[in-house]
Amino acid sequence: MTITVSAGPHVRKNAICTVTLTEPTLPAGNYLLVPEKGAKIPASVQACGEAAELCFVLDYLGANETMTFAVEAADTAPRMTAEVTDRGVTIADNGAFVTEYYTGTDLAKPYMGPFTDRYGADITRLDFEIKEHPHHRSLWVSHGDVNGVDTWNEPQDRHGYIRNREITDLFSGSTFAAFTVKNQWTSHGGDPLLDETTSYKLYATDAATTVVDVTITLTAAYGDVTLGSTKEAGPLAVRMAEPLKVNNTGTMKNGVGGINEDEIWMKKAPWVDYYGVTEGRVCGVAMFDNPENDQFPTYWHARDYGLMAVNNFYRGGAKQIAAGEAMTFAYRVVFHNGDTETAAIGAMYADYATPAEIAVEA
């Protein structure tokens, strides 16, 4: 098998590339992409139902350039690993802890975190002593009005719960680790509201970035669902570590030139980047909206006090999911060293929104 990668009008640098193999001839596992000359590139294949996905990180390809690779099997240990624990799922890179997905029932809902910069400084907040917005935990999925039930805030004796029921599709590979969670959303009394299936994929990028793809599917498994028009919504949100918020050292920028809350809150944009200074270094996190999402580009519930969330409900209106139907949202989250320009967030978004073209020849 060979694959040909075409960069198109964008320079591709450390670009995450994925191609679906509709008639997969490669079993799941680790591979190498072999050019006619030069270094081989690690790749991974993950089964996806009757198809499969081949994924690799392209270190460099100039604008309008093409490159052809042969695909060969690689007998190597996976660099990125996903492991189920009694706390949820732990992700490691060459054995070093990256983050975890926490499912403990001592909290009202799961979260993913912590996330740090390449030297270990916190990018997201996981401080359980802070009283201001204590329900903001690192990276999480929720909504403030699900048939009238609030799974975003956590007012005593009134909030809803999001409970993990199953963890599936674990994958460890040379270029990414992945897993899927199946959660049930309920009222405070335990009445089911909807089912959530969310897949997480974390990539083997350079040390200065951690890239997470999040695909959320909400299914009305128990009757009609109304996701209400509320600012307490994502469905995906992140809370910045205290030193990084705009009220301290931080800055927010979006993909249409907006800066900080006055120019970003409830404005439409394809991405927002939030960065600041901690332990003497600049680091932050960017969130990318997927062009295939409903009402793209999304509005943003992004605050100077450290919250950043996608939200197409407060201005975009309530969303209805008929009984038995589902609604899907896809996002990319990039934890990075450096500011927006240093981390090349605009170029990374171009790789996400308009990926390199890949042709496969058996």
Side-chain angles (χ1 to χ4, degrees):
M1 175 183 289
T2 62
I3 67 168
T4 299
V5 184
S6 300
H10 303 281
V11 174
R12 307 294 179 172
K13 187 175 181 180
N14 296 320
I16 295 167
C17 299
T18 301
V19 60
T20 299
L21 307 175
T22 55
E23 296 182 3
T25 57
L26 299 175
N30 296 319
Y31 293 84
L32 290 171
L33 304 185
V34 185
E36 183 177 346
K37 297 180 180 179
K40 300 177 181 179
I41 297 175
S44 297
V45 171
Q46 181 186 25
C48 299
E50 295 182 358
E53 286 188 348
L54 172 69
C55 176
F56 58 97
V57 179
L58 185 66
D59 52 3
Y60 183 85
L61 191 63
N64 302 311
E65 294 179 354
T66 62
M67 190 70 141
T68 298
F69 301 88
V71 182
E72 67 177 33
D75 185 18
T76 56
R79 171 180 162 181
M80 302 293 295
T81 57
E83 179 182 1
V84 173
T85 71
D86 58 0
R87 293 173 55 89
V89 180
T90 295
I91 302 296
D93 182 349
N94 279 329
F97 177 83
V98 174
T99 191
E100 74 170 349
Y101 183 81
Y102 181 74
T103 61
T105 57
D106 57 319
L107 300 176
K109 54 184 175 282
Y111 67 81
M112 179 175 273
F115 288 93
T116 65
D117 80 342
R118 66 105 59 238
Y119 299 104
D122 287 333
I123 295 177
T124 58
R125 190 183 82 175
L126 264 182
D127 185 337
F128 296 100
E129 301 302 317
I130 292 178
K131 303 303 181 184
E132 176 262 314
H133 295 91
H135 50 281
H136 292 178
R137 303 181 189 98
S138 194
L139 180 73
W140 76 96
V141 174
S142 66
H143 189 85
D145 182 355
V146 186
N147 288 352
V149 176
D150 189 348
T151 68
W152 175 281
N153 298 291
E154 297 172 9
Q156 187 175 11
D157 299 329
R158 290 188 289 117
H159 62 78
Y161 291 98
I162 300 175
R163 294 300 189 215
N164 178 250
R165 300 306 185 202
E166 190 177 5
I167 297 170
T168 66
D169 301 328
L170 271 83
F171 180 83
S172 298
S174 297
T175 56
F176 69 92
F179 64 96
T180 297
V181 298
K182 296 184 178 181
N183 298 333
Q184 184 184 65
W185 297 24
T186 76
S187 69
H188 195 81
D191 297 323
L193 299 168
L194 59 79
D195 286 342
E196 171 204 344
T197 301
T198 299
S199 65
Y200 294 89
K201 185 180 288 187
L202 293 88
Y203 296 93
T205 49
D206 65 77
T209 56
T210 297
V211 179
V212 186
D213 280 350
V214 185
T215 303
I216 305 160
T217 298
L218 304 179
T219 302
Y222 311 100
D224 295 344
V225 171
T226 298
L227 300 174
S229 177
T230 172
K231 65 181 178 64
E232 275 77 29
L236 187 67
V238 66
R239 179 60 193 252
M240 307 299 296
E242 290 297 287
L244 302 179
K245 60 188 186 182
V246 172
N247 293 343
N248 288 327
T249 70
T251 300
M252 275 190 289
K253 294 182 179 180
N254 71 11
V256 294
I259 298 176
N260 293 343
E261 183 176 323
D262 287 347
E263 298 180 4
I264 293 176
W265 190 79
M266 288 304 154
K267 305 290 196 305
K268 277 182 168 284
W271 56 264
V272 170
D273 184 39
Y274 204 136
Y275 65 88
V277 180
T278 184
E279 299 183 15
R281 298 184 302 278
V282 178
C283 58
V285 55
M287 296 181 69
F288 298 166
D289 191 23
N290 191 297
E292 295 186 5
N293 285 340
D294 180 53
Q295 296 183 304
F296 172 87
T298 187
Y299 294 95
W300 293 86
H301 182 26
R303 299 295 203 185
D304 286 353
Y305 64 71
L307 173 68
M308 178 170 58
V310 293
N311 183 330
N312 262 337
F313 298 90
Y314 188 58
R315 294 278 168 82
K319 308 293 185 293
Q320 311 293 329
I321 310 176
E325 300 296 318
M327 183 174 290
T328 296
F329 310 85
Y331 307 100
R332 176 166 288 175
V333 188
V334 180
F335 301 88
H336 61 85
N337 277 83
D339 60 16
T340 306
E341 290 71 32
T342 302
I345 296 302
M348 292 186 72
Y349 182 77
D351 288 335
Y352 180 62
T354 55
E357 294 185 4
I358 303 173
V360 179
E361 185 173 343

